[in-house]
Amino acid sequence: MTTTTTPPPSSVRWRSVAIFIAVAYALLALCAAPFWFLADGIAHPLYSWVLSVGMLTPTIATLVVVKLVDKGSWRKEVGLRFRGRWKRVALWIPLSVLLVLAINVASAVIMVLRGVPGDLTGRTWADTVSDSMTEAGAPLPQVAAIALVLAISAVNLLVTVVPALGEEIGWRGWLWQKLKPLGFLGALTAGGAIWSLWHLPIVLIGHNYPGAPRPLAIGMFLIACIAMNFLFGAITERSGGNPIPAAFAHATVNSTLGLAIGIVATSETMDALNWFIDTPLGAIGIVLMVVAAYLIMPRRARADFGAPAPASAQHEVEWADGQPLEAA
């Protein structure tokens, strides 16, 4: 059976993109505003909760654009389709988590190998975890203490998926597709830049690269977001355009970045590491993300970027990663 698919747009619908950006940016700025004035800033106990709400703003922006401006099918426009895609989505959820975990761990190992003090055996971390449990009045065998910390990290990852999906529906589900007429490099760079600048209200008050000069943090995060846009976009392409696996990858970045560094850390590590080099959002992690994204990006998916082929040359079957998909 073949099904005819709607060809990609010949140009970016800039009006829709502009409205999406305006809504997403304004809502996050509104969420961040109180922490510009509170004495504790991002250390305030409510910050993480409010930030989680702010991460839902790209999804809200897609609802505004699709329903009020473009008058289309929201689920289709943001890629939340499953018919013919279930196996790919189910496969890439665990693969995306494992891939990001590998990048985070590799970044930490390379950090130590390049000369930052650390313990690649993990024994220092294990002793610290066990001692912390004892000091908290809940002494546990070291193996049990480590298992508990890892279990808590896994639960935290699953909880973090919800706000991460709020972002991914907007950035990879909707914007990734809408910028494809710019060509591969154009869409990759523009999408990453738009995503990075959306973070400005929180980056300017210290989110990401703690203690670093803010202009440098903004510039470095721009590069990191372009790399993550490549990685999460490649995962989305592997999933037939569905953003859910990318949300798991995004949640893994957010919830395990510190854990990976902590496992190899000693008392001297934090003073010696360079946030612009040694972290998954530093130069090492950026290179690893770009390499991983290049390896997993389906070659056929690159044909979706740029102006659509003439009608006579278009496939009648919708393809993803070399496999036909039923229309959904």
Side-chain angles (χ1 to χ4, degrees):
M1 183 196 310
T2 62
T3 56
T4 302
T5 61
T6 302
S10 58
S11 61
V12 177
R13 298 202 300 265
W14 286 114
R15 177 170 175 264
S16 298
V17 170
I19 293 172
F20 167 80
I21 291 172
V23 174
Y25 279 35
L27 292 177
L28 182 65
L30 184 64
C31 291
F35 304 98
W36 280 71
F37 305 102
L38 292 171
D40 293 338
I42 63 173
H44 194 282
L46 290 179
Y47 174 74
S48 61
W49 293 97
V50 175
L51 180 60
S52 294
V53 174
M55 291 173 69
L56 302 176
T57 61
T59 290
I60 296 171
T62 63
L63 285 166
V64 171
V65 172
V66 175
K67 291 300 184 182
L68 300 182
V69 179
D70 296 338
K71 309 291 186 181
S73 166
W74 180 77
R75 191 170 66 89
K76 180 179 179 181
E77 288 292 311
V78 301
L80 287 175
R81 298 179 292 172
F82 298 93
R83 186 180 176 190
R85 296 166 173 81
W86 279 108
K87 290 182 180 179
R88 294 185 179 278
V89 172
L91 174 64
W92 276 94
I93 285 174
L95 285 181
S96 66
V97 171
L98 293 174
L99 178 62
V100 173
L101 282 175
I103 291 172
N104 287 354
V105 171
S107 297
V109 171
I110 294 171
M111 172 189 73
V112 176
L113 292 178
R114 86 169 190 90
V116 175
D119 179 3
L120 292 180
T121 68
R123 291 175 182 172
T124 301
W125 174 74
D127 291 341
T128 301
V129 169
S130 182
D131 292 344
S132 297
M133 292 290 183
T134 300
E135 292 174 5
L140 290 172
Q142 191 172 83
V143 172
I146 292 172
L148 178 60
V149 169
L150 295 179
I152 292 172
S153 298
V155 171
N156 186 46
L157 190 159
L158 293 175
V159 171
T160 308
V161 167
V162 176
L165 183 59
E167 283 200 49
E168 291 305 312
I169 285 174
W171 305 124
R172 257 60 62 180
W174 190 84
L175 187 64
W176 173 264
Q177 304 298 330
K178 298 302 176 286
L179 294 181
K180 281 186 173 182
L182 295 177
F184 180 71
L185 290 178
L188 188 67
T189 304
I194 291 169
W195 182 30
S196 170
L197 295 176
W198 172 78
H199 290 83
L200 269 181
I202 57 175
V203 173
L204 286 172
I205 55 175
H207 192 88
N208 290 330
Y209 312 106
R214 289 301 90 189
L216 293 179
I218 291 169
M220 193 65 184
F221 194 56
L222 170 63
I223 299 170
C225 279
I226 292 173
M228 285 190 288
N229 191 39
F230 189 9
L231 179 61
F232 297 166
I235 291 170
T236 301
E237 292 293 337
R238 282 286 180 182
S239 307
N242 193 300
I244 291 177
F248 275 84
H250 192 156
T252 306
V253 170
N254 289 351
S255 61
T256 67
L257 185 150
L259 177 64
I261 295 175
I263 289 176
V264 302
T266 65
S267 60
E268 300 174 328
T269 301
M270 300 308 294
D271 290 333
L273 70 79
N274 186 320
W275 287 97
F276 292 146
I277 297 175
D278 299 311
T279 69
L281 296 182
I284 293 172
I286 288 170
V287 170
L288 292 173
M289 284 190 285
V290 169
V291 171
Y294 179 81
L295 292 175
I296 68 172
M297 173 67 82
R299 282 182 293 178
R300 179 178 290 275
R302 294 176 184 269
D304 291 340
F305 291 83
S312 60
Q314 289 175 2
H315 293 282
E316 288 188 336
V317 178
E318 184 180 4
W319 292 86
D321 189 25
Q323 297 295 329
L325 298 175
E326 298 181 28

